[in-house]
Amino acid sequence: MSGAVDLSALKARSDAANRPAPAPQAGGPAPGGPAPRGGPPPPAPAGFVIDVTEAGFQAEVLERSMVVPVVVDLWAEWCGPCKQLSPVLERLAAAGNGSWILAKVDVDANPRIAQAFGAQSIPMVVAVVGGQPVDAFNGAQPEAQVREWISSLLDALRERMPAIAEAEAAAGGAPEPEEEPEDPRFTAAEDALEQGDYAAAEAAYQDILNVEPANEQAAAAIAQVRFLARSEAVDPEAVARADTAPDDVDAQLAAADAQVATDDVEGAFARLVATAGRVFGDDRDRVREHLVGLFELFPADDARVTAARRALARVLF
């Protein structure tokens, strides 16, 4: 976001609001009359969570952000998600011990601040560093996700802003990331896998998918388990045998597994794409399904997978 949001107008308003009023001239209000408005801003609170207004924006956000990151929480009393997110931010700010500051802004009372950040919905959280917004997110996020966002921010700035490390040292050092509790369903599957019981491991992962069809971790694990089970039974001569029998689908599938097991991934993919181009009907479906199963062993953006997918599409269509 750096450079994309202009906070200069807010700074100007803050300067104007805090500029001392001129001394009364002759004929002005008599002593004891209404006090002139203006004057220096009140001292910034000592805590790590502060309420910010347009008048105090320069001192409490822009100037503070030269020393440590200031995380601006744009909220409103009527906003339900804000009431979920704000306590999370406040807890994390207290735990941060001054390594970053939480600046809470009521957008109803301070609409120009929301406008300056281009807020189209709330809650909106913006990290300000060196007088400029550098990162942001919208909506009520889980506490673990917010903690990770703040940790990433501090990690990126710790060397540039010594006050971060000083605050962390005063609090006993940078907080250790909390380990997520292990999912007992995955633990059972991993135990079976360590014992070499591939059938039990696959069944355990499949149970997870039956409940959570979109669980990518379980889907990828099943692909790995199936491959491990097949690769243990692969004949070392599978590749040589397949090369002499190009139309033997079983031989080609076994050879592809053997090649992936020896890290000849491109060779395995090319073999099955070529086989898919030579056979038809059920045999072609078997080859396609086997190749897709091998794709699942690798990240979707793996260049070898991308190239093989395109090659397979040309053969099939």
Side-chain angles (χ1 to χ4, degrees), residues 109-286:
N110 304 277
R112 291 189 183 91
I113 296 180
Q115 292 169 9
F117 285 117
Q120 298 182 352
S121 64
I122 57 173
M124 179 179 181
V125 176
V126 185
V128 179
V129 176
Q132 288 292 326
V134 297
D135 201 1
F137 68 84
N138 284 88
Q141 305 291 337
E143 182 165 345
Q145 191 168 331
V146 177
R147 183 185 295 108
E148 181 179 355
W149 182 79
I150 291 172
S151 295
S152 298
L153 178 70
L154 297 180
D155 289 345
L157 297 168
R158 193 171 283 109
E159 292 185 2
R160 291 168 44 197
M161 303 183 102
I164 294 176
E166 291 171 5
E168 290 172 340
E176 293 293 329
E178 293 186 6
E179 294 186 3
E180 294 186 6
E182 293 186 358
D183 188 326
R185 301 172 303 171
F186 281 93
T187 302
E190 291 160 5
D191 289 344
L193 190 58
E194 289 180 2
Q195 296 169 12
D197 190 344
Y198 299 122
E202 180 177 347
Y205 287 125
Q206 187 61 54
D207 287 343
I208 298 172
L209 282 179
N210 291 340
V211 178
E212 302 175 23
N215 192 307
E216 296 179 358
Q217 184 181 352
I222 282 184
Q224 294 282 350
V225 169
R226 289 173 177 169
F227 176 75
L228 288 172
R230 294 198 311 267
S231 62
E232 280 198 355
V234 168
D235 187 338
E237 301 299 321
V239 174
R241 185 178 300 107
D243 289 343
T244 63
D247 295 327
D248 185 335
V249 171
D250 289 331
Q252 299 304 321
L253 300 182
D257 284 346
Q259 287 176 282
V260 171
T262 57
D263 206 28
D264 182 11
V265 177
E266 291 175 325
F269 289 171
R271 175 182 296 278
L272 294 187
V273 169
T275 303
R278 291 193 299 267
V279 298
F280 302 93
D282 292 342
D283 284 342
R284 173 175 282 188
D285 288 340
R286 288 180 59 207

Side-chain angles (χ1 to χ4, degrees), residues 17-125:
N18 295 314
R19 189 176 299 120
Q25 298 178 352
R37 299 182 64 184
F48 311 133
V49 179
I50 58 177
D51 291 311
V52 174
T53 64
E54 292 169 8
F57 186 82
Q58 179 182 351
E60 296 171 352
V61 175
L62 299 184
E63 293 179 5
R64 280 190 174 209
S65 75
M66 302 295 177
V67 181
V68 292
V70 177
V71 174
V72 179
D73 176 19
L74 301 173
W75 68 282
E77 184 63 36
W78 48 263
C79 171
C82 297
K83 295 178 180 179
Q84 300 174 20
L85 179 62
S86 290
V88 170
L89 291 167
E90 291 169 9
R91 284 196 300 272
L92 295 176
N97 197 51
S99 57
W100 60 281
I101 300 298
L102 176 62
K104 296 171 60 63
V105 176
D106 182 342
V107 298
D108 288 339
N110 304 277
R112 291 189 183 91
I113 296 180
Q115 292 169 9
F117 285 117
Q120 298 182 352
S121 64
I122 57 173
M124 179 179 181
V125 176

Side-chain angles (χ1 to χ4, degrees), residues 275-310:
T275 303
R278 291 193 299 267
V279 298
F280 302 93
D282 292 342
D283 284 342
R284 173 175 282 188
D285 288 340
R286 288 180 59 207
V287 173
R288 178 186 60 79
E289 291 172 3
H290 196 95
L291 182 53
V292 170
L294 292 180
F295 290 161
E296 293 175 352
L297 301 175
F298 304 92
D301 59 354
D302 189 301
R304 299 167 298 182
V305 172
T306 303
R309 285 190 185 278
R310 287 199 296 264

